[in-house]
Amino acid sequence: MVDLDCNCPHTIPIISHSMHHRIWILLAAYLTTCSPAWAQTAKESRPNVILVVTDDQGYGDMSCHGNPWLNTPNLDRLATQSVRLENFHVDPVCTPSRAALMTGRYCTRVGAWAVTEGRQLLDPDETTMAEIFRDSGYRTGLFGKWHLGDPPPFAPRERGFETVVRHMAGGADEIGNPTGNDYFDDTYYRNGTPESFDGYCTDIWFDEVMDFIQEESEQPFFVYLPTNAMHSPYLVADRYSDPFEQQGIEPKRAAFYGMIQNFDENLGRLLKKLDQDNLRDNTLLVFMSDNGTAQGASEQNRKDGFNAGMRGKKGSVYEGGHRVPCFASWPAKWDGNRRVHQLTCHRDWLPTLIDLCDLKRPADVSFDGRSMAGLLGGSSQQWPERTLIIERQSDIVVSATKTQGRAQPPFAVLTDRWRLFRDELYDIRNDPGQFKNIAAEHPEVVRELRAAYDAYFEDVHGSRKDAVRFIVGKDTTPTLITVRDWHPTEGRVIWKPSQLPDNDLLINGFWEIEVAEAGRYSIELRRFPDDALAPIQADQARLRLGSIEQTQTLKPEESSVTFEIDLAAGPHRLQTWLRDAASQKIRGAYFVEFTRIEPSDLSSRR
């Protein structure tokens, strides 16, 4: 016998050809016993990662931060087990925060700086967190809300996530999702295929995560768990919301709090699962939210709700709009219940995870964030002072202030001590509620912070693309774009299915598209989704695509109209007009579906 150099009891004898069958039996025993042990050692050298991002849950929306109505025992327990980033900031609304988190870069650089209007598309040229994890040997999964583009090449399975269960658009019930989704027993998409699910949305996301993490694999896992809760509409089982209504809390906020209670319950299930599977110690679990609270105190009445003493809520560039909870727990490496007060942000997480998980750093990417690895590990290394910029952008930026002709959105400049809100200045250390504007007392600070914003604006906005375009015709798979994706020319966008039949709503806009391959295209216009077709109620449809313009007459009872057009490869602007048969007024088509028809080569038919 010859012993093999391994920590395993099995040995393989030197034997004759006649014992061939026994060799393979023993070899199989060796491989199944020794190799996984070696692989497990390598696996344990890097942590598993679970990144949880809740929607619209502010810093004060948990009992450990003083909320007088909520009781969140599992969030509170996670807080005591975590390094707690007490001065952690995101963008004031969801898509920008998600884009910055996924790339480590300012959302404006990467094209996804608003929640609709075609500005929710993450530039395909950007490298995502999931791609870096995948390319570094991790299994990757996303469960919940993406909100960075639905069709290829924006969909999460094309951005590094190997396993995906999610809803479309910005919410499970919004235009772009199957009709009838209401957070209960919905249809979601598993790896691009629609599937009916039983149960409540948050329960489903956590169920899917727990199935994913217990799959047998020699690879560590990266899980991105962005819930659609606690985003409106505020829908949850009565047993969660009723206790708050019984305390006299108005129904919307009661349901919002009920959604938090349900999330907390699910977090407890996940923590228990990690413990049961002996995964907890070497799993880096990060909890954060995407913006300030949606149901906290208003600017007009700071006593109406709980904002943990901060001014502003979701959408605001005051503190309450962007300072959010962030807990990071890694029991094998870090002591819990340690608070970090240095200025940090969501853009810091990608460079941090690259360092902590020994990931392959992309050679051609420049991060706007800074690695927090030393800070989280309790290093005494100096954390240099920094200046962060917060903005609240929309498709059409409106502001009285301009630099070199480019409109500037509402913004805030953050340092360890100061908050500049446009021309208002607050000492955040001594006035955390931002009650007293002291700009007149510190004009030199105002000038310094204003100069920092102007330099940022010149750099980041100067590099911003006009628009990230929808890609059509890369193959013969149809590409659907909707009213929530257009750039408005009349009115705004809509995103609620209940708005689709409103005959008094006369809105329009254009889409920026990129034709991937020249060819003949079928372009179908509808007012209603294909799973709830209804009469288009128009007697004329007009379409303009670049220099091409076509018109068709149709019957009001028809549910769609289709144009066939030869398109050259490259950028195009699309706009549609549907003339209402009764009023003769105009609205745009709410759904447009592109399909490339073979042959694809335009030149072959000339």
Side-chain angles (χ1 to χ4, degrees):
M1 297 287 238
V2 177
D3 289 339
L4 296 176
D5 185 17
C6 71
N7 296 318
C8 139
H10 298 288
T11 58
I12 298 180
I14 299 175
I15 49 182
S16 68
H17 182 73
S18 64
M19 300 180 70
H20 176 83
H21 182 64
R22 186 182 172 197
I23 286 178
W24 285 106
I25 292 175
L26 290 169
L27 181 60
Y30 164 73
L31 291 172
T32 56
T33 307
C34 294
S35 292
W38 171 86
Q40 185 70 17
T41 302
K43 176 181 173 181
E44 289 179 352
S45 67
R46 296 193 294 174
N48 302 302
V49 177
I50 301 177
L51 174 55
V52 182
V53 180
T54 56
D55 202 328
D56 289 0
Q57 181 182 16
Y59 182 93
D61 292 329
M62 58 195 70
S63 49
C64 62
H65 288 164
N67 190 290
W69 300 288
L70 281 163
N71 178 28
T72 52
N74 295 301
L75 272 170
D76 296 358
R77 176 161 61 98
L78 179 62
T80 64
Q81 297 170 349
S82 298
V83 179
R84 302 167 66 171
L85 301 179
E86 292 292 325
N87 196 3
F88 181 80
H89 299 263
V90 294
D91 288 281
V93 289
C94 46
T95 287
S97 288
R98 295 159 200 273
L101 178 65
M102 284 292 105
T103 62
R105 289 158 57 79
Y106 276 108
C107 63
T108 306
R109 288 197 201 277
V110 302
W113 41 265
V115 297
T116 55
E117 303 163 330
R119 303 299 189 179
Q120 76 280 11
L121 303 176
L122 177 60
D123 191 327
D125 293 335
E126 294 293 326
T127 302
T128 71
M129 182 183 289
E131 289 171 315
I132 294 172
F133 270 104
R134 180 200 61 196
D135 295 346
S136 300
Y138 276 71
R139 291 192 299 129
T140 58
L142 178 147
F143 307 92
K145 172 176 175 174
W146 175 237
H147 205 183
L148 294 173
D150 291 330
F154 308 102
R157 290 195 72 216
E158 300 203 27
R159 308 311 297 264
F161 289 102
E162 298 161 318
T163 300
V164 175
V165 181
R166 66 163 181 138
H167 62 76
M168 300 291 187
D173 65 319
E174 292 184 4
I175 290 171
N177 286 281
T179 301
N181 273 13
D182 62 359
Y183 290 24
F184 295 91
D185 303 331
D186 289 344
T187 296
Y188 303 129
Y189 293 82
R190 184 186 299 278
N191 298 330
T193 301
E195 181 179 327
S196 296
F197 288 83
D198 294 328
Y200 184 62
C201 54
T202 307
D203 300 341
I204 290 166
W205 310 139
F206 275 87
D207 286 345
E208 291 293 331
V209 167
M210 288 187 280
D211 287 345
F212 180 79
I213 65 176
Q214 70 180 7
E215 291 176 10
E216 291 188 13
S217 175
E218 300 307 327
Q219 297 174 278
F221 57 74
F222 166 59
V223 167
Y224 180 38
L225 174 54
T227 67
N228 55 301
M230 279 43 79
H231 198 286
S232 63
Y234 305 117
L235 302 170
V236 72
D238 291 345
R239 67 187 180 93
Y240 293 106
S241 56
D242 281 352
F244 297 103
E245 288 203 49
Q246 290 165 9
Q247 296 179 59
I249 296 173
E250 60 93 12
K252 279 188 178 180
R253 184 173 290 153
F256 176 80
Y257 282 166
M259 295 167 87
I260 294 173
Q261 295 295 163
N262 171 268
F263 168 81
D264 187 79
E265 184 180 282
N266 276 292
L267 178 64
R269 289 202 299 134
L270 176 60
L271 293 172
K272 182 178 180 180
K273 177 68 174 174
L274 291 170
D275 285 335
Q276 288 175 340
D277 291 353
N278 296 317
L279 293 170
R280 185 72 184 93
D281 277 355
N282 202 41
T283 295
L284 170 52
L285 175 60
V286 179
F287 163 80
M288 57 179 283
S289 61
D290 65 344
N291 48 246
T293 180
Q295 281 293 317
S298 66
E299 187 73 18
Q300 293 73 29
N301 182 1
R302 294 206 194 185
K303 295 182 179 180
D304 175 26
F306 184 77
N307 282 16
M310 292 185 284
R311 181 178 182 177
K313 55 182 180 178
K314 175 181 178 177
S316 173
V317 294
Y318 286 119
E319 197 81 350
H322 48 83
R323 181 183 163 217
V324 299
C326 187
F327 308 150
S329 171
W330 188 4
K333 298 290 185 181
W334 302 332
D335 293 331
N337 208 23
R338 180 163 53 83
R339 297 175 188 257
V340 171
H341 296 279
Q342 286 88 339
L343 190 61
T344 55
C345 72
H346 51 340
R347 290 180 296 274
D348 296 335
W349 269 115
L350 182 48
T352 300
L353 291 170
I354 288 173
D355 286 350
L356 293 176
C357 303
D358 192 25
L359 306 179
K360 298 177 182 177
R361 182 180 293 269
D364 57 347
V365 176
S366 176
F367 295 123
D368 292 312
R370 173 192 296 176
S371 176
M372 303 180 290
L375 202 61
L376 292 166
S379 170
S380 58
Q381 181 181 0
Q382 188 70 24
W383 178 261
E385 287 199 19
R386 67 195 308 198
T387 300
L388 299 179
I389 307 297
I390 302 294
E391 290 180 316
R392 173 67 168 102
Q393 299 188 59
S394 63
D395 186 38
I396 302 172
V397 177
V398 179
S399 175
T401 308
K402 294 189 176 183
T403 297
Q404 296 183 353
R406 293 194 299 273
Q408 294 183 341
F411 68 87
V413 183
L414 285 56
T415 70
D416 285 335
R417 179 179 177 183
W418 304 107
R419 299 290 188 268
L420 180 71
F421 171 75
R422 292 181 174 170
D423 296 318
E424 301 171 12
L425 181 68
Y426 300 93
D427 182 341
I428 203 69
R429 291 177 182 169
N430 298 312
D431 180 21
Q434 295 178 288
F435 286 96
K436 185 179 180 182
N437 174 16
I438 55 175
E441 300 169 33
H442 299 276
E444 73 289 351
V445 175
V446 173
R447 284 193 299 270
E448 178 183 342
L449 298 183
R450 181 70 207 207
Y453 177 75
D454 289 342
Y456 153 87
F457 189 87
E458 185 64 25
D459 171 24
V460 176
H461 286 254
S463 67
R464 184 181 75 190
K465 291 185 176 180
D466 245 4
V468 177
R469 298 174 178 271
F470 286 94
I471 311 296
V472 302
K474 192 172 182 180
D475 54 32
T476 57
T477 304
T479 298
L480 178 69
I481 55 179
T482 76
V483 55
R484 67 187 304 279
D485 303 318
W486 71 27
H487 303 268
T489 57
E490 299 291 333
R492 304 299 294 174
V493 303
I494 57 174
W495 57 88
K496 298 178 181 179
S498 61
Q499 295 171 300
L500 296 174
D502 184 351
N503 287 328
D504 294 326
L505 194 61
L506 300 168
I507 58 176
N508 210 336
F510 61 86
W511 295 272
E512 298 286 8
I513 67 167
E514 180 84 19
V515 174
E517 186 173 333
R520 190 163 186 80
Y521 283 77
S522 165
I523 305 170
E524 183 185 34
L525 312 185
R526 302 192 301 268
R527 181 174 172 181
F528 297 96
D530 61 0
D531 66 349
L533 282 178
I536 204 166
Q537 300 178 29
D539 60 11
Q540 185 186 84
R542 181 160 60 100
L543 174 150
R544 181 188 297 150
L545 240 170
S547 61
I548 300 170
E549 187 163 334
Q550 292 188 8
T551 302
Q552 287 192 39
T553 300
L554 61 157
K555 298 175 182 178
E557 63 270 21
E558 292 183 84
S559 59
S560 66
V561 57
T562 299
F563 295 82
E564 288 193 8
I565 300 177
D566 290 337
L567 293 176
H572 299 267
R573 176 172 291 185
L574 166 68
Q575 189 158 4
T576 66
W577 294 264
L578 299 178
R579 189 174 67 191
D580 188 278
S583 69
Q584 297 293 287
K585 293 181 179 180
I586 304 295
R587 68 173 55 84
Y590 293 158
F591 298 85
V592 178
E593 189 165 84
F594 277 82
T595 306
R596 176 161 61 79
I597 305 170
E598 298 294 353
S600 61
D601 184 7
L602 257 180
S603 62
S604 68
R605 300 196 311 279
R606 287 176 178 164

